[in-house]
Amino acid sequence: MTQSTTQAAGPVSGPASGISHKRYFFEKFGITERLLERCLGEALSAGGDYADLYFESVSSTSIGIDESIVKSASQGVSAGCGIRVLSGERTGYAYTDELSTEKLLHAARTAALIASGPAKQPVVGFQETKAPSLYPAPALDLDSDLSKKLELVNRADKAARAFDPRITQVRASYADELRRILIAASDGTFASDTQPLARLNVFVLAKEAERTARGTSGGGGRVEIDFFETEKTPEHFAREAARQAILQLNAVAAPAGEMKVVLGPGWPGVLLHEAVGHGLEADFNRKKTSAFAGLIGREVASSKVTVVDNGTMPNRRGSLNVDDEGSATQETVLIENGILKGYLSDKLSSRLMNMPHTGNGRRESYQQIPMPRMTNTYMLAGEDAPEDIIRSVKRGLYAVNFGGGSVDITSGKFVFSASEAYLIEDGRITAPVRDATLIGNGPEALKYVSMVGHDLELDEGVGTCGKDGQSVPVGVGMPTVKLDRMTVGGTGR
């Protein structure tokens, strides 16, 4: 997959425009600009540097099938508003799930009391954020497409079972949502968006004699249901999950020790996301709890490594026209040729650290405060041919897919389990291995990158990132990458 270029911000028209998004809240809930100004005035009535209002309305559907039987199905609609007041480093926050004038003003006064500080008057009037249109903004009908969504999971179930008789269990699920947001702030920010999100997942178990193995696959993005008919079908994900499970039935025990490791393109970028990306979020660096704190301008990786965070990629799971503080997203270079260039910031971190605002303020819902979060984070392609990278390794591990993992932000240490990996012997990919873990330190691991492929790929659209109890959709990616030194955990030789 080729690198996506940043789209310039500018006025947009049609159903995805800011005016259309704004009218949704104005017409459905009776919100007016005068009410927005009153709420901001109440929010700053006890003092403070800044206040914002985050309105949200979400319509969602989910369907789950297990053993060819629909085991779960739900539809829901929720709406609410979160009101934030900043005073120095102090944050006051309150929210309401009732969008009446009385409840909104009460929430504003509550946030004001929590974050009381030096007085500041809010601006009167707003300047609408100009942003690109990166994804469709469909009119969602919760009932009309339900049969189509059920058909998707049934097709996935049938395809996985047909792949091989050793597939003994299949679970498939589909989930989507349409999120509408409106943000108004005392600095004059006024922004709105309609954000679709859909995902199809397949999980399988395979059994042969006494050995069992599992496989998972899935994908989606900020797309409509037609994506799963024209781009990536249920059969595609089902066959991929089944292939992984069958492969693991005959896998050998992973070797243990320090060795050369080659990471495959695409989803292995999750290691980059966890081991490096979180450490480059501004709040951790403002508090000096990140292993990357104070290292801007210094070498933190091999000169072959350039890492970016890009929220402007059309239809990608981590992309946003505007972030949850009403700022247009952008492409931000984090590491360039091994040199740390900057951090991902929200408005608070940008102001307190006197650094550029990157449009990375994100939150799970109106019930939570925004914080610096990644969007689509990936390493840029290099110049090496993937086959040359494999041929350069006499003995090592080729990791193609990852399952769970964890990272200590302060130390940078990480542990990841590889759900699909192979031995590399004399420059050839040979036997699949099981129970392989990769152990390392984020700021150190990237210094051992010696070859970077020209085959950059992004993940299929399944990433969900957790931080401080909040989960948001993200994207990851990387080309084929060779690390000359990494610790592999396993039970083999």
Side-chain angles (χ1 to χ4, degrees), residues 7-334:
Q7 297 191 18
V12 291
S13 60
S17 72
I19 294 176
S20 182
H21 309 313
K22 176 181 70 174
R23 285 176 179 160
Y24 173 81
F25 285 94
F26 282 26
E27 294 175 4
K28 187 173 181 65
F29 298 103
I31 305 300
T32 64
E33 289 197 20
R34 173 56 185 152
L35 177 57
L36 299 178
E37 292 170 358
R38 286 183 64 193
C39 289
L40 290 172
E42 288 290 346
L44 292 172
S45 61
D49 308 314
Y50 168 89
D52 60 19
L53 315 173
Y54 176 83
F55 292 87
E56 177 186 72
S57 176
V58 181
S59 303
S60 61
T61 302
S62 66
I63 300 173
I65 189 171
D66 189 357
E67 294 303 297
S68 302
I69 300 171
V70 176
K71 292 292 183 71
S72 63
S74 65
Q75 294 181 321
V77 178
S78 65
C81 179
I83 302 180
R84 178 177 61 156
V85 180
L86 300 179
S87 179
E89 295 193 32
R90 189 163 58 250
T91 298
Y93 196 76
Y95 65 87
T96 174
D97 59 4
E98 184 178 331
L99 301 183
S100 66
T101 298
E102 179 184 355
K103 293 293 185 180
L104 288 170
L105 291 173
H106 177 74
R109 286 189 287 269
T110 301
L113 292 174
I114 297 172
S116 57
K120 180 180 179 181
Q121 293 298 316
V123 299
V124 177
F126 301 101
Q127 180 64 45
E128 187 166 350
T129 299
K130 295 181 179 180
S133 179
L134 301 172
Y135 33 76
L140 187 66
D141 186 330
L142 287 177
D143 297 318
S144 63
D145 290 333
L146 190 58
S147 60
K148 292 183 181 180
K149 298 166 186 178
L150 180 57
E151 181 184 1
L152 291 177
V153 294
N154 278 325
R155 285 170 54 186
D157 176 75
K158 291 176 181 177
R161 294 181 185 281
F163 185 85
D164 192 287
R166 289 170 290 179
I167 300 296
T168 60
Q169 184 178 352
V170 179
R171 293 202 301 266
S173 63
Y174 173 88
D176 66 17
E177 67 176 32
L178 190 66
R179 182 183 305 266
R180 297 177 174 93
I181 63 170
L182 174 68
I183 301 112
S186 61
D187 63 1
T189 296
F190 185 83
S192 52
D193 198 12
T194 300
Q195 302 165 350
L197 190 67
R199 174 175 165 171
L200 179 68
N201 276 87
V202 186
F203 168 87
V204 306
L205 284 178
K207 185 174 184 180
E208 185 174 41
E210 297 302 315
R211 179 170 291 182
T212 60
R214 65 183 63 192
T216 61
S217 182
R222 298 201 179 277
V223 296
E224 298 182 81
I225 193 170
D226 289 348
F227 171 86
F228 300 101
E229 296 287 352
T230 59
E231 298 289 332
K232 294 295 177 70
T233 65
E235 289 78 12
H236 164 79
F237 297 122
R239 288 191 289 265
E240 175 60 19
R243 181 196 65 80
Q244 291 179 23
I246 296 300
L247 180 79
Q248 289 296 310
L249 288 176
N250 297 310
V252 301
E258 189 174 275
M259 64 187 72
K260 296 182 190 324
V261 171
V262 176
L263 302 176
W267 180 245
V270 69
L271 187 148
L272 188 75
H273 168 103
E274 294 288 358
V276 179
H278 276 299
L280 297 180
E281 291 167 337
D283 50 350
F284 292 129
N285 290 277
R286 174 168 56 88
K287 300 170 185 176
K288 302 191 183 303
T289 56
S290 168
F292 292 96
L295 298 184
I296 289 180
R298 295 173 59 178
E299 183 179 355
V300 296
S302 158
S303 62
K304 294 180 176 290
V305 174
T306 296
V307 178
V308 302
D309 183 85
N310 188 352
T312 72
M313 308 179 78
N315 303 116
R316 296 301 307 181
R317 182 172 169 84
S319 295
L320 296 166
N321 289 325
V322 295
D323 72 358
D324 295 329
E325 294 180 306
S327 302
T329 56
Q330 65 182 48
E331 181 178 5
T332 303
V333 177
L334 298 172

Side-chain angles (χ1 to χ4, degrees), residues 381-440:
E383 300 178 350
D384 297 304
E387 55 270 23
D388 290 341
I389 295 176
I390 298 297
R391 278 197 289 265
S392 73
V393 178
K394 182 172 180 59
R395 178 181 180 274
L397 189 77
Y398 179 46
V400 180
N401 270 308
F402 286 93
S406 62
V407 61
D408 183 320
I409 299 297
T410 303
S411 67
K413 293 180 180 179
F414 63 81
V415 178
F416 276 89
S417 60
S419 57
E420 182 180 356
Y422 303 82
L423 294 175
I424 304 176
E425 300 173 291
D426 295 322
R428 295 185 302 111
I429 298 172
T430 58
V433 302
R434 64 178 185 274
D435 303 327
T437 58
L438 300 185
I439 304 165

